[in-house]
Amino acid sequence: MTRVGVLGAGISGLTAAYRLTQSDMAINVQVLEAADRPGGVIRSDAVDDRLVEAGPNTLRPSPLLETLIDDLNLEPERVWANDDASRRYIVRDGTPVSLPISVGDFLTTNLFSTTAKLRLLGEPFIGRGDADDESLAAFARRRLGPEVLNYAVAPFVGGVFAGDPEQLSARHAFDKLVQLEKEHGSLFWGALRSSGGDDETPSGLYSFRDGAEALPGALVDALGDRIAYDTSVSAIRREETRWTVETEHDTGTQTGAFDALICTLPLHALSSIDVDTGVDCAPLRDVEYPPVHVVALGYERSAVAHPLDGFGMLVPPVEDDFDILGTLFSSTLFANRAPDGTALLTTFVGGARDPALARREADAIQSVVERDLAALLGISGSPSFRHHVHWPRAIPQYTTGYGAVKDTIDALEAEHSGLHFAGNYRQGVSVGDAAASGADAAARVQNTL
Ligand SMILES: Cc1cc2nc3c(=O)[nH]c(=O)nc-3n(C[C@H](O)[C@H](O)[C@H](O)COP(=O)(O)OP(=O)(O)OC[C@H]3O[C@@H](n4cnc5c(N)ncnc54)[C@H](O)[C@@H]3O)c2cc1C
């Protein structure tokens, strides 16, 4: 029987391991996880009659996630976002303004000035760029104009990557946009021509009755005793035809031997373990994972003047009276997340935009959040519920030059037969993208056995 080790039990590792157990081949899978729980950054905490997400709040349908939901019988647990969630607010001049979703809205919105609207309408007439690896800010400034960069693109990347558009690479972080320009000469025409999607995959945002953690939870149930917790990988090396993995335990170092490995450790963790290779891994060590705080606050509904009729609000960096990245209206987004008559608001702080703020004490961060929410949403009084999660290293930043990271991973795989990589640093940071990279790695293992 072939023995495959999967390093890390986040969504990419769990998906890889599950896919291997589905194979017709005789594969014995063992998942090695440093923490005492699975799921990595996917964590749903039930506290004081509330359901709070420490990591991802919403999932977007993808062909792989739909297959997993079917296979794992998760459909009865799935909950779709409230219809109101299609409305998103962006803060402009200290007020949340709803992002236009129709031509009529666009013409009348005060989110963008008339100059910015005219600039945007000219997008189809702007020639293609020729930079090979442009920052997202440069790409957006060139195609959409500075105001749309400031009041749409920058807050959006704050929401997805907790990132800074001046640093992120358009090509590596938002390849679909770059391809639209390449293939259609215009984002506007490209989006119009490629709209529709495939009929098989539903649209909308979803979670599960018990939160996003239900997905890794169902994979864990399917994997049974194939996962070892409190098992921190400290070294991997090739010995003759097999891979030896060293792991740290209270009782000391242990070793295990595998025919193939799928490594899904975040790059900062991979960089601190001993990997026996001639490949120069310096580019992997340089990838930033800025800190993020997730602060969930509960208020009496009557204390919040804003109607909270949307997904949430994003705060552009140019709105410099405020320090938060954005807030999800969690009790609007999904039913049963907070007691009736109360509001649950989940706010993100830090990221690449403000790593220094994210290094301050939890109390200071909470004060910043309460201050900004009071001003932006018209809140009176203090929250009656507080829940705070700190991710010292949250999301990998696909900055300009990220091609060197992808090349290094490819070189490691080419150099070392039986060593495969998956994770949110490879083909996208969403849960769906991370799961897909796990499934792809499992397929590569099966193809090479
Ligand atoms: C705050 C936040 C909000 C997000 N919101 C969304 C969202 O709304 N929607 C969305 O689609 N995505 C969201 N994401 C992104 C998405 O959740 C992640 O990119 C994805 O879940 C990462 O999965 P992964 O398996 O690649 O990595 P991880 O979840 O980081 O898993 C890696 C695993 O490796 C383990 N590990 C580390 N070192 C070792 C070691 N030495 N030995 C053994 N194990 C080790 C870790 O403990 C961990 O379990 C969010 C992320 C964060 C942080």
Side-chain angles (χ1 to χ4, degrees), residues 92-107:
R92 172 129 207 185
D93 301 329
T95 305
V97 178
S98 101
L99 186 69
I101 46 175
S102 68
V103 177
D105 283 356
F106 173 71
L107 293 174

Side-chain angles (χ1 to χ4, degrees), residues 80-99:
W80 291 93
N82 187 315
D83 286 345
D84 271 353
S86 55
R87 185 176 298 109
R88 284 154 194 257
Y89 288 93
I90 310 266
V91 172
R92 172 129 207 185
D93 301 329
T95 305
V97 178
S98 101
L99 186 69

Side-chain angles (χ1 to χ4, degrees), residues 16 94 106 128 201 379:
F106 173 71
R128 289 177 173 83
T201 311
I379 297 179

Side-chain angles (χ1 to χ4, degrees), residues 6-14 32-42 53-60 65 159-160 162 205 228 231-235 246-247 264-266 268-270 272-273 289 292-294 311 328 348 389 391 393-396 422-425 428-435 437:
V6 176
L7 316 185
I11 194 65
S12 47
L14 293 172
L32 307 176
E33 166 58 49
D36 58 2
R37 53 168 290 281
V41 299
I42 307 180
E53 296 289 4
N57 280 258
T58 53
L59 308 182
R60 196 171 280 287
L65 291 184
V160 175
L205 296 170
T231 301
S232 178
V233 174
S234 53
E246 275 183 18
T247 53
T264 76
L265 311 184
H268 57 82
L270 178 63
S272 63
I273 72 172
Y289 283 69
V292 170
H293 291 257
V294 185
F311 183 86
L328 296 175
F348 300 84
V389 176
W391 297 107
R393 291 170 140 180
I395 298 176
N424 62 356
Y425 54 82
V429 297
S430 72
V431 170
D433 289 338
S437 83

Side-chain angles (χ1 to χ4, degrees), residues 314-393:
L314 290 165
V315 183
V318 286
E319 291 284 315
D320 49 17
D321 286 345
F322 306 100
D323 288 320
I324 62 175
L325 296 173
T327 298
L328 296 175
F329 303 160
S330 303
S331 44
T332 306
L333 194 48
F334 295 111
N336 303 320
R337 293 288 162 113
D340 287 348
T342 69
L344 182 65
L345 303 170
T346 306
T347 299
F348 300 84
V349 177
R353 194 188 298 173
D354 204 343
L357 173 63
R359 282 191 279 274
R360 290 174 61 187
E361 295 295 312
D363 284 356
I365 306 271
Q366 282 184 21
S367 301
V368 163
V369 174
E370 287 179 38
R371 181 203 66 197
D372 284 0
L373 292 186
L376 291 167
L377 301 176
I379 297 179
S380 49
S382 302
S384 53
F385 170 84
R386 291 182 174 87
H387 184 272
H388 191 142
V389 176
H390 175 209
W391 297 107
R393 291 170 140 180

